[in-house]
Amino acid sequence: MSELSRYREFAQNSAAWPFEEARKLVARLAKSGKKSVLFETGYGPSGLPHIGTFGEVARTSMVRRAFEVLTGGEIPTRLVAFSDDMDGLRKVPDNVPNKDLLAKAIGLPLTKVPDPFGTHESFGAHNNARLKAFLDAFGFEYEFLSSTECYRSGMFDKTLLLMLERYDAVQAIMLPSLRAERASTYSPFLPIHPETGIVMQVPVEEIKLDAGAIVWRDPDTGKAYETPVTGGHTKLQWKPDWAMRWVALDVDYEMAGKDLIDSVKLSGEIAKALGGTPPEGFNYELFLDENGQKISKSKGNGLTIDEWLDYASPESLALFMYHKPREAKRLHFDVIPRAVDDYLSFLDGFTRQDEKSRLANPVWHIHGGLPPAPERIGNAEGQAGTQISFALLLNLVAVANAEDKEVLWGFLQRYAPGASPETHPRLDKLVGYAIRYFQDFVKPKKTYRAADEVERGALEALDAALTRLPPDAAPEAVQEAVYDVARAVPRYQDFNAKGATSQRPGVSNAWFAALYQILLGEERGPRFGSFAAIYGLDNTRKLIRDALNGALIENHERFLEKRA
């Protein structure tokens, strides 16, 4: 924590949401006198880890690091990733092999369901292994806890007996939230059938406090059983289970989706009935698909984490999770380029910020206070260089018809001979992401248009201006030439721009919109000077000529015809 200690003073008043959450924990500890903090995230191993799993662990980790900075690292913290692997299998998932194997195991605890993949001793163990590999791949610091192991080891026994003792109080909290039919048979305890091993949803006929047991009856055979609530012989319904876990583990912080607000309240009331204090936390908003519909695993709408990582880095996904967690956000392929370039922009700006400002920069939270240096490239010795944006790479791919990384690196290295995949590994990954994203999403949606007479004259003037620049002109020099061409065209003059004069007018956005639409087939694009400098001035001049003679439109029409 020594490297982060300089942020402690500014963290006390930072408006960044992880610090707001962390200050709630500081106040909690001041009241309770605890000397450590336990963060928890939950996982239901009936399915594979998904983008929501990443979001919850990433956001919780951000709060954890913010708390550590606020307290100078003097208070130990732990993050537990808890797997509800003792839950009964309710239905056969669609995305698994050997479905018949699982169909015969409906009702069994997930750690007793055979593994349809044949790699682990149970379906629960298989998915738990996937969860741990998933979290490890992103470098999260966590401890894994299995519900099955916690129940069977006796870790929960004391709190389970307390819940049995306060059974009526728990029922008084739960029953008003249930439909009449379910309330009539509801019990927080689910006995594990001693003969079939199935997690039983049955009413409790008798509570035996002295024996620490419940009496229940098999609805199929009518046979009565007395089952201890301890030692893994029963498990709890999920809302009482959540509350029991908070109390048994002494959880201080856990966030949940907005769809669980009522469940959080109920579990909190049960925790209080058990003499505990519900954890701090907040309810984050859910993700929507491109049509504004809630993302559903069963519907298959929206974007999976694997799909995101096919086209962009984990850091860009973490940025998406950081931004406005209490607001619903559309999660689909179109948001990826913006997330990537926003991440690069924040990373670039971090080096120029003071400590106070850095705490409001998302990359501070994404990288636990220690973001990497941005990878910049320049075309001259001593030049500060620039980060290459995703948008610029997408347009380079477009005009170069690049389908492999070597072609794109050829342009980058001609501009910056000292750059390579070895010296700029993150840029190398970005190049690969750009090629894949362009081929799958950008190219089919491009719409080139012809230039009108004013635009034709301006583009011809730009072509001529580029011939007057040296081949290795810096992006700033190219950009200035682009501006100067537009200043002479009445359509593009902006006398209201900052610093504009009658002799030197500003340049309207209409000029750049025309460049993007005519030359790149896009409504928006990268800084044109940077694009032309990296693509090469001769190549840029050819691009202009191809646009003016109609070749760009013809080539794209042929592509669309083949695709159809």
Side-chain angles (χ1 to χ4, degrees), residues 13 18 75 119 189 217 254 324 362 407 451:
N13 300 303
I75 298 177
T119 59
F189 288 95
R217 193 173 300 276
E254 182 164 4
K324 300 178 180 178
V407 173

Side-chain angles (χ1 to χ4, degrees), residues 299-413:
K299 290 181 182 177
N301 60 334
L303 191 61
T304 70
I305 192 163
D306 287 336
E307 287 170 335
W308 184 293
L309 297 179
D310 279 341
Y311 302 105
S313 67
E315 291 80 11
S316 64
L317 178 57
L319 175 65
F320 186 82
M321 297 297 174
Y322 174 85
H323 273 316
K324 300 178 180 178
R326 292 181 179 88
E327 294 183 14
K329 289 184 289 188
R330 298 195 179 197
L331 179 62
H332 53 95
F333 290 105
D334 288 353
V335 308
I336 290 177
R338 175 67 179 273
V340 173
D341 280 343
D342 281 352
Y343 169 76
L344 293 174
S345 178
F346 284 123
L347 191 64
D348 191 62
F350 186 83
T351 58
R352 298 187 295 274
Q353 293 176 313
D354 58 25
E355 279 84 355
K356 181 179 180 180
S357 300
R358 286 178 174 180
L359 294 182
N361 188 325
V363 299
W364 192 97
H365 300 276
I366 291 168
H367 294 284
L370 300 171
E375 287 186 349
R376 301 187 177 101
I377 65 172
N379 68 342
E381 190 69 32
Q383 191 181 79
T386 183
Q387 281 196 120
I388 303 300
S389 70
F390 198 53
L392 190 151
L393 286 175
L394 288 174
N395 284 295
L396 273 180
V397 176
V399 297
N401 288 314
E403 294 187 2
D404 61 63
K405 294 165 73 172
E406 288 185 10
V407 173
L408 225 55
W409 266 109
F411 289 104
L412 296 173
Q413 289 173 325

Side-chain angles (χ1 to χ4, degrees), residues 189-207:
F189 288 95
L190 303 176
I192 310 300
H193 200 296
E195 297 168 25
T196 65
I198 288 175
V199 181
M200 301 297 294
Q201 294 259 4
V202 290
V204 169
E205 294 187 356
E206 184 181 355
I207 301 280

